[in-house]
Amino acid sequence: MTPVAPGSVIGILGGGQLGRMLANAAQRLGFDVDIYCPEAVAPAARACRRHWQGAYDDTALLTEFAKACDVVTLEFENIPVAATEIIEATGTHLFPGAKSLAVSQDRADEKAFLNGIGIATADYRVIDSDLDIAPALLELGGTGLLKTRREGYDGKGQAWIRSPHDIATAWADVLGAPCVLEAGIAFEREISVLVARSSRGETATWAPPHNVHRDGILAISSVPSGLPHDVEQAARAQAIRLVDALGHVGVLALELFVLPDGRLIANEFAPRVHNSGHWTPEACQTGQFEQHIRAICGWPLGDTRRLFDAEMVNLIGEAGLVDPDKLSPGDVLTLYGKHEARPGRKMGHITRRLNPRKD
Ligand SMILES: Nc1ncnc2c1ncn2[C@@H]1O[C@H](COP(=O)(O)OP(=O)(O)O)[C@@H](O)[C@H]1O
Ligand SMILES: [Mg+2]
């Protein structure tokens, strides 16, 4: 693929904060950005050249949008695969491809795919009806996490089952949707690997952050992770194996549990830029948003070297109503431009650069 030249138009499916930060990075490299999303008001739609407001099944509007763009990408993994097919039918490239999207949209397919390429996940059972739960629970050792196969995020669509008495409530919590039941993992910590793969097949990873979740939502990501070098290297190697196997183009985040003995258990992956990589623009030579744009435009990847120890703190709900007078001068603040601070809503984040790296 010939590189997409500065001045071209990058289309993004999805209007959230990830799209907004992708748009900012693309604009800095000289691109124009068009956003396609159903919402009338959206963080990314306020930071672009043109906002195409439409449904993901509006063939005519998606086609017109695709024709107006030189390359299309996405910031949201639950875009219907059919929408990506409509775009590709116009001859405009869409990255990442349908494979990354389809596999990551279904937790059962995702785990089977990871296991198939030699990446360990929690033991799991596919749950099609509430009658499947009791035997699966027994096989998994009596405790499990029920997760909807599709459309869960920020801990939504999940319910713990710690005894057969919990089954009915858990099944009601997930609204009887098709699920997987996963064995509970007694992890020592959670990390993620941000990895980029370009349309030329070049790959690069960043140092894996240590991620702390609160109420199922990412609260803090920090680097260094505190893990031994060989564990980090093994995690990075898994992420590269994954993007190569998917033929993925763009950034991808692989979430991993680390067991007390250092073994890695993959949790899930997102075929896009990720909240746990929000520290990379401030702490690394090249951040995840710029890298994603480079990758989908067929540019060489940037250097992912980490220049600082760093901590990224999410501003969730009311915490996102920032009083500028209360900021520390060293805090790098990013706000997503959301007008209403609902509980659990990601409003922005702060990155703190800690020690400069000397090595
Ligand atoms: N099998 C598991 N065992 C223990 N904790 C889990 C397990 N699966 C998920 N969790 C916890 O719940 C969080 C959210 O689950 P995840 O599958 O990543 O869903 P989401 O799509 O909401 O991010 C994880 O980051 C982890 O803290
Ligand atoms: Mg997750």
Side-chain angles (χ1 to χ4, degrees), residues 77 107 110-111 122-123 144-145 147 151-158 160 181-187 190 211-218 255-257 265-269 272 274:
E77 66 275 30
R107 291 190 193 274
E110 184 179 40
K111 284 187 167 52
D123 196 5
L145 184 52
K147 299 181 181 178
E151 300 205 333
Y153 71 99
D154 286 347
K156 294 185 175 65
Q158 301 191 4
W160 279 100
L181 184 68
E182 286 183 32
I185 303 295
F187 54 80
E190 291 185 83
N211 301 323
V212 176
H213 294 82
R214 260 178 234 135
D215 305 324
I217 307 176
L218 181 67
E255 298 179 11
L256 298 150
F257 302 124
I265 304 283
N267 174 27
E268 61 170 353
F269 69 85
R272 51 164 170 79
H274 194 254

Side-chain angles (χ1 to χ4, degrees), residues 236-248:
R236 291 165 91 142
Q238 287 193 354
I240 290 172
R241 194 185 317 159
L242 174 59
V243 288
D244 281 340
L246 289 167
H248 183 83

Side-chain angles (χ1 to χ4, degrees), residues 274-287:
H274 194 254
N275 195 167
S276 67
H278 284 3
W279 53 276
T280 56
E282 283 82 40
C284 299
Q285 188 73 28
T286 308

Side-chain angles (χ1 to χ4, degrees), residues 116-183:
I117 57 170
I119 296 178
T121 63
D123 196 5
Y124 69 101
R125 298 289 182 277
V126 174
I127 304 295
D128 294 320
S129 99
D130 55 343
L131 300 176
D132 297 337
I133 301 179
L137 191 65
L138 207 61
E139 285 171 22
L140 297 175
T143 301
L145 184 52
L146 189 67
K147 299 181 181 178
T148 57
R149 286 175 64 162
R150 305 180 74 90
E151 300 205 333
Y153 71 99
D154 286 347
K156 294 185 175 65
Q158 301 191 4
W160 279 100
I161 302 182
R162 296 191 167 85
S163 91
H165 301 294
D166 298 339
I167 292 177
T169 336
W171 188 243
D173 281 353
V174 300
L175 307 173
C179 280
V180 292
L181 184 68
E182 286 183 32

